[in-house]
Amino acid sequence: MKCIAIDDEPIALSIIEKLCSQVPGLELAGTFVNPIEAMDVLQKESIDLIFLDIRMPDMTGFQFLNSLTHKPLVILTTAYSQYGAESYEFDVVDYLLKPIALDRFVKAVNKAKQQLEIKYKTLGELNVQDNYIFVNSEYKLIKINIAEILFIEGLKDYIKIQLTTSEKPILTIMRIKTFEENLPSSDFIRVHRSFIVNIHKIDYIKKNRITIGKHEIPVGENYAESFFKLIEGRNWK
């Protein structure tokens, strides 16, 4: 489970870092004294959990949560008990009072792990119809025409779906193998451990690189033989 910690006190961040190091399966991707700096990481990386202080000078923890369009799981870490009721309006996993004991920290992390497992199970199903799919993204069920998919990129437990109709990809919590098993094999092929491409959208292939529009996609060594055999043996219309 990948996490970050946000607190305006460096000592508090050091304590969170030490606590994280004692919990197996918890990867601390970064610590931030300024929540604005954390936003850049949240946009670029797949973060499962935030340890978040409430009272910070430039932006409170609650203001920070309100600013996010895609919210990871949140465990609040604070020295003030009076925000407990308000915190649950933001559907946080837990509310830890400083100083944080290891056993209480582990309990909160285990709650987050359980919620994440449920989230993956409920959001990780691919609803395939004749010529379209439904995926969960940003708390909405989005309909996608299969013919409009350029390629699919796997980012750990997230999937990025690039479409012909929008430059902005659709992000959903799912594993790339789910798409590989459910999309029509006559139209889609996995060419890399992180990529599935729509065969009909390929513009050209140069060595082990596929170009689709302005996107360049690598052909992985383990997938090259089956991909080029398909390309060479196919009757293109």
Side-chain angles (χ1 to χ4, degrees), residues 67-84:
S67 72
L68 300 179
T69 54
H70 178 72
K71 296 181 180 66
L73 298 174
V74 176
I75 294 175
L76 293 175
T77 58
T78 179
Y80 304 93
S81 60
Q82 65 264 36
Y83 298 107

Side-chain angles (χ1 to χ4, degrees), residues 108-120:
V109 170
N110 285 337
K111 286 173 66 177
K113 287 181 178 179
Q114 291 174 358
Q115 288 194 24
L116 196 63
E117 289 172 0
I118 294 170
K119 187 177 181 182
Y120 285 156

Side-chain angles (χ1 to χ4, degrees), residues 58-224:
D58 297 323
M59 177 185 284
T60 70
F62 295 139
Q63 289 172 333
F64 174 74
L65 290 178
N66 272 330
S67 72
L68 300 179
T69 54
H70 178 72
K71 296 181 180 66
L73 298 174
V74 176
I75 294 175
L76 293 175
T77 58
T78 179
Y80 304 93
S81 60
Q82 65 264 36
Y83 298 107
E86 185 179 359
S87 70
Y88 286 97
E89 294 179 13
F90 291 86
D91 197 27
V92 301
V93 174
D94 211 336
Y95 185 96
L96 297 179
L97 285 174
K98 302 174 184 177
I100 304 169
L102 177 60
D103 62 336
R104 186 66 183 84
F105 182 82
V106 171
K107 183 178 180 180
V109 170
N110 285 337
K111 286 173 66 177
K113 287 181 178 179
Q114 291 174 358
Q115 288 194 24
L116 196 63
E117 289 172 0
I118 294 170
K119 187 177 181 182
Y120 285 156
K121 184 177 180 180
T122 57
L123 298 184
E125 299 174 357
L126 187 63
N127 186 348
V128 183
Q129 305 299 326
D130 290 338
N131 55 3
Y132 56 88
I133 60 175
F134 282 100
V135 298
N136 285 279
S137 181
E138 297 183 358
Y139 306 100
K140 294 180 293 187
L141 195 61
I142 298 178
K143 179 182 177 181
I144 300 173
N145 291 322
I146 292 176
E148 294 175 354
I149 299 175
L150 292 175
F151 64 88
I152 293 154
E153 181 179 0
L155 304 167
K156 281 200 172 181
D157 294 313
Y158 282 79
I159 291 295
K160 183 168 75 172
I161 306 170
Q162 192 68 53
L163 304 175
T164 60
T165 53
S166 173
E167 289 191 7
K168 182 181 178 181
I170 292 174
L171 296 178
T172 185
I173 298 175
M174 206 174 295
R175 302 186 189 280
I176 195 167
K177 189 171 180 62
T178 304
F179 277 91
E180 184 181 18
E181 292 173 346
N182 287 278
L183 288 176
S185 59
S186 57
D187 302 315
F188 292 88
I189 184 169
R190 191 165 181 177
V191 298
H192 188 276
R193 62 185 179 86
S194 300
F195 289 95
I196 295 172
V197 300
N198 185 336
I199 298 168
H200 306 288
K201 304 301 182 183
I202 296 174
D203 292 316
Y204 61 88
I205 305 161
K206 186 176 181 180
K207 294 184 178 179
N208 280 359
R209 310 293 291 185
I210 298 169
T211 296
I212 299 178
K214 62 180 182 181
H215 305 280
E216 195 172 78
I217 297 164
V219 178
E221 184 178 344
N222 294 334
Y223 300 88

